């Protein structure tokens, strides 16, 4: 019994540490709306209404929803409610409205669309929705839809006009009127513009301070002092003209100089051949002795 109690106590003590070391679960992805009301709530929310254009997997169900006649009858009924307009305008003052548009700076968005353009399943899903005979029949029968009747009869409902008259006293109207003088709105927008997460997952690694620390470069050794090499000249063979060093610049400069006089015998020449000299006039014959 004591062993069982000791084992149970050890399990209770070790459980918090085991759960603490477990990796945190990733944030769940936003569920794709399934009803026209849910789609309208997302599309009128300025903090997430661009989700259908960022991912082809969300674009396909969005296109299916906006090509249904029930989507537009639901939208017509919601447009008559001033509260829906207030919700949409208040969402424009949220920092998420900036992040919603700034996420198009993420190259992953365009890579997804490039991959979808090469995927036959994407074209098949789009063309299937546009050529669905059941959807065409729903459009043909839409005038007899009860939602269309409700939208038409709502124009005669006095409660709708009473809502519009009382809308200035709605707290959401007060919040919208106070938003331009609320400094938190501007600070929130500025914070969203400086948040790397606003620009997509790819930019988090580049813009987050300390996320990508540059490695320390090793110290380069000092360059050795280079001394000009001494021009090498081959020793002239005895009795032969000196050799011309093709790689010696001094030899080239001396070659263009005309010496004032012929160098003495045994002195090396810069030019490989001795300069020509004017031959001396022959000596005059001695005069004949007078007889």
């Amino acid at each position: 019994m004591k062993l069982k109690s000791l084992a149970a106590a050890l399990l209770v003590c070790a459980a918090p540490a085991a759960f603490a070391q477990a990796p945190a679960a990733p944030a769940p992805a936003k569920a794709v709306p399934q009803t026209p009301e849910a789609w309208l709530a997302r599309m009128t929310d300025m903090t997430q209404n661009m989700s259908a254009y960022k991912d082809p997997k969300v674009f396909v169900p969005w296109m299916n929803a906006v090509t249904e006649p029930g989507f537009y009858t639901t939208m017509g009924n919601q447009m008559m409610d001033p509260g829906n307009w207030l919700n949409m305008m208040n969402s424009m003052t949220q920092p998420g409205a900036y992040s919603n548009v700034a996420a198009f700076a993420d190259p992953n968005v365009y890579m997804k669309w490039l991959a979808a353009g090469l995927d036959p399943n994407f074209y098949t899903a789009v063309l299937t929705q546009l050529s669905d005979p059941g959807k065409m029949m729903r459009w043909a029968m839409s005038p007899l839809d009860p939602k269309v009747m409700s939208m038409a009869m709502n124009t005669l409902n006095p409660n709708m006009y009473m809502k519009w008259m009382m809308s200035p006293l709605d707290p959401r109207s007060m919040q919208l009127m106070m938003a331009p003088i609320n400094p938190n709105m501007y600070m929130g927008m500025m914070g969203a513009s400086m948040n790397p997460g606003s620009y997509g997952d790819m930019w988090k690694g580049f813009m987050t301070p300390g996320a990508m620390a540059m490695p320390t470069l090793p110290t380069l050794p000092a360059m050795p002092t280079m001394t000009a090499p001494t021009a090498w000249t081959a020793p002239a063979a005895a009795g032969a003209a000196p050799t011309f060093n093709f790689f010696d610049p001094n030899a080239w400069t001396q070659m263009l100089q005309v010496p004032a006089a012929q160098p003495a015998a045994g002195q090396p020449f810069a030019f490989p051949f001795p300069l020509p000299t004017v031959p001396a006039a022959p000596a005059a014959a001695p005069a004949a002795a007078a007889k």
Side-chain angles (χ1 to χ4, degrees):
M1 185 58 114
K2 293 182 178 180
L3 292 177
K4 292 182 179 180
S5 302
L6 181 59
L10 291 175
L11 288 175
V12 171
C13 296
F19 285 111
Q21 295 176 1
K30 294 182 179 179
V32 178
Q34 302 296 328
T35 61
E37 291 80 8
W39 272 115
L40 284 169
R42 172 173 290 193
M43 301 308 295
T44 55
D45 186 357
M46 295 302 172
T47 62
Q48 53 181 348
N49 63 344
M50 294 293 177
S51 60
Y53 312 115
K54 298 175 186 176
D55 192 351
K57 295 181 179 180
V58 184
F59 178 82
V60 173
W62 172 83
M63 188 174 182
N64 184 34
V66 297
T67 52
E68 288 285 348
F71 178 84
Y72 297 96
T73 54
T74 303
M75 181 174 63
N77 284 320
Q78 291 192 4
M79 288 177 64
M80 297 181 185
D81 188 356
N84 296 323
W85 291 93
L86 293 175
N87 290 334
M88 183 181 67
M89 289 185 286
N90 275 306
S91 66
M92 300 170 70
T93 63
Q94 301 299 320
Y98 178 90
S99 304
N100 184 33
V101 181
F104 283 101
D106 189 3
N108 293 326
V109 174
Y110 306 100
M111 293 302 295
K112 291 178 182 178
W113 280 104
L114 179 61
L118 303 176
D119 188 3
N121 295 327
F122 178 75
Y123 295 104
T124 303
V126 173
L127 294 176
T128 301
Q129 295 173 6
L130 298 178
S131 59
D132 184 9
K135 184 174 295 186
M136 297 178 183
M137 184 59 66
R138 286 191 291 274
W139 274 103
M141 300 298 294
S142 60
L144 302 179
D145 190 349
K147 291 184 179 180
V148 177
M149 302 295 180
S150 173
M151 182 175 60
M153 296 302 295
N154 200 23
T155 58
L156 304 177
N157 186 3
N159 293 329
M160 182 196 66
Y161 299 101
M162 186 61 65
K163 288 181 181 179
W164 281 99
M165 292 177 61
M166 300 299 294
S167 60
L169 302 179
D170 194 315
R172 290 170 292 186
S173 298
M174 302 294 181
Q175 179 182 356
L176 183 61
M177 288 186 288
M178 297 299 293
I181 58 175
N182 184 8
N184 292 329
M185 184 188 72
Y186 303 101
M187 295 301 294
M189 290 289 182
M190 186 180 298
S193 64
M194 296 183 180
N195 183 13
S198 300
Y199 304 96
D201 296 333
M202 183 176 180
W203 296 105
K204 291 180 181 179
F206 294 101
M207 301 177 64
T208 304
M212 293 185 64
M214 294 298 293
T216 305
L217 296 177
T219 305
L220 298 177
M223 294 297 293
T225 306
M226 303 297 292
T227 56
T230 306
W232 179 85
T233 54
T243 343
F244 177 69
N245 188 1
F246 184 83
F247 299 99
D248 187 6
N250 296 326
W252 287 96
T253 55
Q254 292 177 13
M255 187 182 72
L256 302 177
Q257 297 177 3
V258 180
Q262 184 72 19
Q267 181 177 358
F269 292 91
F271 191 70
F273 306 100
L275 295 174
T277 56
V278 180
K291 297 181 179 178

